[in-house]
Amino acid sequence: MSRFLALFLSLSVSLGAMDKPYPVFPGDSLTPSLQLSLEEIVSLPVRSDICPVCGFHLEIPEVDKLVVQPIGGRWQMDASGQDSDLCPHPGPGKVAFQADIIICPDCGYAATLASFPQPPSAEFRTWVFTTLRPALRQAEANLLGWRGRELSGPDQLEFFNRQDAIPDRLRTENARVIAEVRRASLGEQAFLTWRAAWAARHALNRLPEIPLLTGWNRGALKNLALSDAQAALPILQRLSGRTRAGRPANSNPAERLAASILLAGVYDRLGEREAARQELTRLAGESHQRYADSRQDPFWPVVGGRPRAAEKATALDQVRRELEQEIANRQTILEDEYAYLGKAAELLKDALEEAAYPTPGEALFHAYLLADFLRRLDQLPAASEWFKAVLSLSGANANLGEAARAGLEQVTRQAGERVNLLAGIGVDGELIEKLREICKNNPLNPTP
């Protein structure tokens, strides 16, 4: 183990416990409910239910049974790590999928737990069968790969009749599209859209399942990925970087590559999209490298102890192809996440315009999310104005005010000398004025 990872392990408890001034969803407790570790139970508790669209008997996880001393409110994913837009990152042994969004493994119908039983119209059922089901079948076949040839249709359905067997990216995308097709409220559409963005971010922050990387300090790197992103940043920069002389700072090429992949994810968690994009671009170039003599390849020593050089060269080429595909997938995931964030920001503006959040608590919370989404989208002048509005209207909500202040400071750092934040004055002025009116008219949170 490298001395930098050893240093991280000695600090991991303190990094994971760092307090953040993040707001909470309206109605939720500031103190999250404690969750049992999956290691403490025999299996995830489930209940049987019937898909209202196709009638399939599916199993729905009863995640509330994993909560110790429930404090109230909705079920929340464990947030051992959390980003400024409230995206949670579960700790080891916790439920690591968005279990409050259910998907039918037969037809692809997906919705939140509250909306899932909603009876479908004949027109909607037809749309699911003709549009969602074929796409789901293809996605499931891709997930199974060669194993799919060995499973019959019923066996495949049984395999996927566990909510954690279907990736969050598929689950949240189907729920988002369905909410749009069903003309759900703007608030619900926005909620499901940023959940799709979170699913993409989770995928970007997972260690790749490449054999070359599975044996090199994987546990330490995985824990590092779940820690406080700002604290993990300098460690990953050092693990994946080079010395001033241009030599690799980390002599282990597999660990260096894994750290670089995680570094892109950490940049993404911090909302530094361009830095994440540049890191993935650099990795794409590195993954495409080929050498006239395979023994010059930095991965040659760690590919495996095959007796013949020709066999080892073939294995090395396979590793390179896997790396190329992995990095290309992550580049797509990054762009997908920001497309979702952009759509969520527009939906939040539309929801605020329609007064979908009538109380100050609801309106200010969603205005904060809008500000952070705009910051992540690099729309810094507009983000600055929204953070300023939330900060000035937060009143007795100290947690929200501190979060808005921290967001405003981050906007200033990101802007540096390249962006004139004063250009945002007047942007979204009418919406911000509506926000002020909601707060001004509420006696519980008076404003000047």
Side-chain angles (χ1 to χ4, degrees):
M1 180 184 299
S2 74
R3 61 191 177 94
F4 298 105
L5 279 180
L7 173 64
F8 162 72
L9 288 176
S10 69
L11 298 174
S12 58
V13 174
S14 61
L15 292 184
M18 293 181 71
D19 293 328
K20 290 289 184 179
Y22 296 152
V24 297
F25 282 91
D28 286 348
S29 170
L30 284 172
T31 305
S33 302
L34 297 177
Q35 294 183 20
L36 290 172
S37 168
L38 295 176
E39 299 170 355
E40 300 177 63
I41 60 175
V42 176
S43 62
L44 186 66
V46 297
R47 63 177 173 83
S48 297
D49 208 335
I50 298 176
C51 174
V53 174
C54 69
F56 180 78
H57 290 258
L58 72 161
E59 294 184 344
I60 295 179
E62 295 186 291
V63 288
D64 288 341
K65 291 185 178 181
L66 298 180
V67 176
V68 181
Q69 297 177 341
I71 299 174
R74 61 191 176 80
W75 178 82
Q76 302 174 57
M77 182 182 282
D78 178 76
S80 296
Q82 192 174 36
D83 301 336
S84 56
D85 63 351
L86 310 187
C87 176
H89 296 269
K94 302 297 185 179
V95 174
F97 66 99
Q98 302 192 53
D100 57 338
I101 298 177
I102 303 302
I103 184 169
C104 173
D106 186 13
C107 68
Y109 170 64
T112 60
L113 278 168
S115 301
F116 192 81
Q118 185 177 340
S121 66
E123 182 182 11
F124 177 74
R125 181 180 280 110
T126 299
W127 176 81
V128 169
F129 290 154
T130 57
T131 303
L132 282 191
R133 178 178 269 171
L136 177 70
R137 288 286 180 272
Q138 184 59 56
E140 290 175 341
N142 293 341
L143 289 169
L144 287 171
W146 62 269
R147 293 175 298 176
R149 296 191 295 270
E150 301 177 356
L151 295 176
S152 65
D155 288 340
Q156 287 189 20
L157 281 178
E158 184 61 28
F159 177 86
F160 285 109
N161 196 11
R162 290 174 32 246
Q163 289 297 308
D164 59 341
I166 299 179
D168 270 350
R169 293 200 68 208
L170 177 58
R171 173 200 325 279
T172 54
E173 169 61 7
N174 276 24
R176 183 196 71 79
V177 169
I178 285 169
E180 187 176 287
V181 168
R182 286 187 129 174
R183 295 182 175 84
S185 69
L186 291 170
E188 183 176 355
Q189 289 188 50
F191 172 77
L192 290 170
T193 303
W194 79 62
R195 294 290 291 275
W198 288 0
R201 195 177 308 162
H202 287 157
L204 199 63
N205 278 272
R206 289 193 178 98
L207 277 175
E209 298 295 334
I210 296 177
L212 174 69
L213 305 179
T214 54
W216 297 98
N217 302 320
R218 185 176 180 83
L221 285 168
K222 184 176 182 180
N223 288 337
L224 185 58
L226 295 173
S227 73
D228 178 79
Q230 192 65 59
L233 181 63
I235 300 174
L236 288 171
Q237 287 173 328
R238 181 73 174 119
L239 280 171
S240 61
R242 293 181 176 274
T243 66
R244 291 182 180 180
R247 292 187 299 271
N250 183 353
S251 60
N252 186 318
E255 186 177 279
R256 188 170 67 247
L257 176 69
S260 295
I261 290 173
L262 286 181
L263 179 59
V266 165
Y267 281 135
D268 181 42
R269 286 187 59 184
L270 294 171
E272 298 182 20
R273 173 173 55 164
E274 193 53 39
R277 183 182 286 157
Q278 289 176 6
E279 188 67 17
L280 290 175
T281 300
R282 184 183 69 79
L283 287 171
E286 183 175 330
S287 69
H288 281 81
Q289 286 181 356
R290 297 295 188 273
Y291 295 80
D293 184 348
S294 296
R295 289 171 295 186
Q296 297 175 338
D297 194 306
F299 294 119
W300 178 264
V302 293
V303 165
R306 289 172 173 77
R308 299 177 59 185
E311 293 177 354
K312 194 167 182 176
T314 299
L316 179 63
D317 189 60
Q318 176 64 26
V319 165
R320 285 288 181 182
R321 289 197 299 271
E322 290 175 349
L323 290 178
E324 289 175 4
Q325 186 60 55
E326 180 70 31
I327 301 307
N329 288 344
R330 287 175 183 256
Q331 288 175 312
T332 298
I333 290 170
L334 180 67
E335 299 309 316
D336 285 350
E337 178 194 341
Y338 281 90
Y340 286 132
L341 288 179
K343 189 170 183 62
E346 291 304 314
L347 285 165
L348 281 172
K349 288 184 181 182
D350 291 343
L352 287 167
E353 176 69 32
E354 292 192 1
Y357 310 116
T359 68
E362 293 174 299
L364 286 171
F365 173 83
H366 289 91
Y368 168 82
L369 281 185
L370 172 59
D372 201 66
F373 293 165
L374 293 173
R375 177 185 71 81
R376 291 170 179 273
L377 292 161
D378 211 33
Q379 298 179 28
L380 300 181
S384 175
E385 292 304 300
W386 279 101
F387 276 130
K388 287 177 183 177
V390 174
L391 179 59
S392 68
L393 297 170
S394 56
N397 192 332
N399 215 46
L400 183 62
E402 290 175 17
R405 182 178 289 104
L408 191 57
E409 291 172 356
Q410 181 61 30
V411 166
T412 303
R413 286 193 296 270
Q414 282 183 230
E417 299 295 327
R418 67 184 179 89
V419 177
N420 177 15
L421 294 180
L422 295 179
I425 296 177
V427 172
D428 296 329
E430 292 184 4
L431 281 180
I432 291 176
E433 188 56 37
K434 284 193 173 186
L435 183 67
R436 294 185 185 280
E437 286 299 314
I438 291 173
C439 296
K440 182 177 180 180
N441 294 331
N442 182 4
L444 296 179
N445 188 30
T447 60

